[in-house]
Amino acid sequence: MATGGGDQTWWASLGSALAGLMFIYAMFQQYFPYELRGHAHKYTQKLVTYFYPYIQITFHELTGEKLKRSDAYFAIQNYLADHTTATAKRLKADVVKGSKSLVLTMDDHEQVMEEFQGIKIWWSSNKNTPKRPSFSFYPKTEERRYYTLTFHKRYRDVITKSYIDKVLKEGKAIAVRNRERKLYTNNPSDSWYEYQSTKWSHVQFEHPANFETLAMAENEKEAIKNDLIKFSKGKEYYTKIGKPWKRGYLLYGPPGTGKSTMIAAMANLLDYDIYDLELTTVKDNSELRKLLIETTSKSIIIIEDIDCSIDLTGQRRKEKKKYESSSSSSDEESSSSEEDDKKKDPVEKKKDEEEKKSKKGSKVTLSGLLNFIDGIWSACGGERIIVFTTNFVDKLDPALIRRGRMDRHIEMSYCCFEAFKLLARNYLDLEGHELFDRIEVLLGEKEITPADVAECLMPKSEREGVESCLRELVKVLEKLKKKKQGKKKAEEEDEVNGEENGDGASGESSSESGESSSEDDEVAGKGRKRNGKR
Ligand SMILES: Nc1ncnc2c1ncn2[C@@H]1O[C@H](COP(=O)(O)OP(=O)(O)OP(=O)(O)O)[C@@H](O)[C@H]1O
Ligand SMILES: [Mg+2]
């Protein structure tokens, strides 16, 4: 782009001369008879158009009755900021809300020229100040800014069909690139207002997680990264195969294996926003749909701990119970006694009560959630990823996680040696150590989450060195191993005791002696059952 422009400047001078003439004409117009004024105006306009072969298109900052900020103006502002900073002579620097860096734009009444397919195009930045002050909610809207695009009329088609399209597309892409990323959470519907976007509140998304620091098998990590990148570039592909541009991921595994960390890494890799959907505060399916419509593209919608969010399996359980009750009365007895036992256990009872309380507020059903994921509405906006996380994948309804809804199932598992090496590199800048062999053996024998390994590897004071962090990990692993061995031994002993008691059939079972724990009873019971079978 370049400032000014010979041809157009010449014509602009002619235009100004004509404008001057029009001013003189306007002065005289007051003395014209009223009936002739309309005709005079029409012919003057024709005369100007005849001599001035340029077309001008204006893009106003505020449009409509409610003076909403125009998307086109915003896109052009970004486009010009990117294309004109090198050539414009007068620039304006501003911190634009929602943008992560300082934005440089053309100053008021500045003009720049650029070429598109050999055609000269002029952009100018202008402003109007209304004479009469008007009441407004937005104090800064008194000045009405606009951009003017000027080009020769013989290029009308190219400019209106291709050039403007290109400017808007590029401007939007620049805005996405420069935007401050956001982490949203849904507000309870009591605080929604009709004319304001209050369904989601947000903070700046600043999680530092990335795939390089995520500890998991390298090939699996690469596969996930490639899948995500392919998705983000797949607009044409999804259109070609007739599928909405969205993808579902199910992340499952024990607590502390990196599910939430993986989501943050996904968002950072693709430069997406995150919508963290709290299902328990969503009243019903229609609210769920409204929330979905308000999400933007280039985002990840997450529902964490989906198994705990709403009673998605309730219906199935009821059906199962109905079936069980008609099939066998003995089963019924055992299940009811099991329920009685549960009721007796105060911890379980409290847990049940709390679960019921949290689910009571939400009437979101399984079918509502299925529609949310892949109903007609789910296609609005495009380029969205939906992620569910759970610790108990078996608890989920198969319909919810079938391929097509949750396209990729990723198991986040306990820390393997490969993952440990990555954590050691991250946390301690360590490529190898004499304790590594010992740790490899221990990791093969005992399951430990990456979160626990990470905790051991984090120096607790400035004086704590690499060696003591690794020793700490070895200590924890050995402790876990001993615990496991102890448990196994106890189980074996109990089994042997059970068998001995069964052989004697004297009725001196440990439970009768009243000395054993309930766990022991269970194991002893198992032993008895096995003996009985024999
Ligand atoms: N695979 C991993 N790679 C690197 N760090 C990890 C990994 N897994 C866990 N961590 C560390 O442990 C912490 C807890 O991990 P995270 O919250 O991602 O676990 P989670 O699987 O989401 O657990 P939950 O099921 O309880 O929500 C993280 O802050 C991170 O530092
Ligand atoms: Mg988590």
Side-chain angles (χ1 to χ4, degrees), residues 75 79 163-175 235:
Y79 176 85
Y163 176 72
I164 294 182
D165 198 40
K166 170 201 124 137
V167 170
L168 296 183
K169 258 192 201 152
E170 263 186 52
K172 278 180 194 162
I174 293 164
K235 189 176 182 187

Side-chain angles (χ1 to χ4, degrees), residues 91-105:
L91 292 164
K92 202 167 51 176
D94 206 356
V95 180
V96 175
K97 199 177 162 216
S99 183
K100 63 184 172 196
S101 54
L102 191 77
V103 178
L104 289 176
T105 48

Side-chain angles (χ1 to χ4, degrees), residues 210 426 477 516:
N210 58 60
N426 281 344
L477 281 166
S516 69

Side-chain angles (χ1 to χ4, degrees), residues 64-75:
E65 274 177 31
K66 285 181 191 157
L67 293 182
K68 272 183 77 177
R69 194 139 190 244
S70 147
D71 288 345
Y73 180 91
F74 190 55

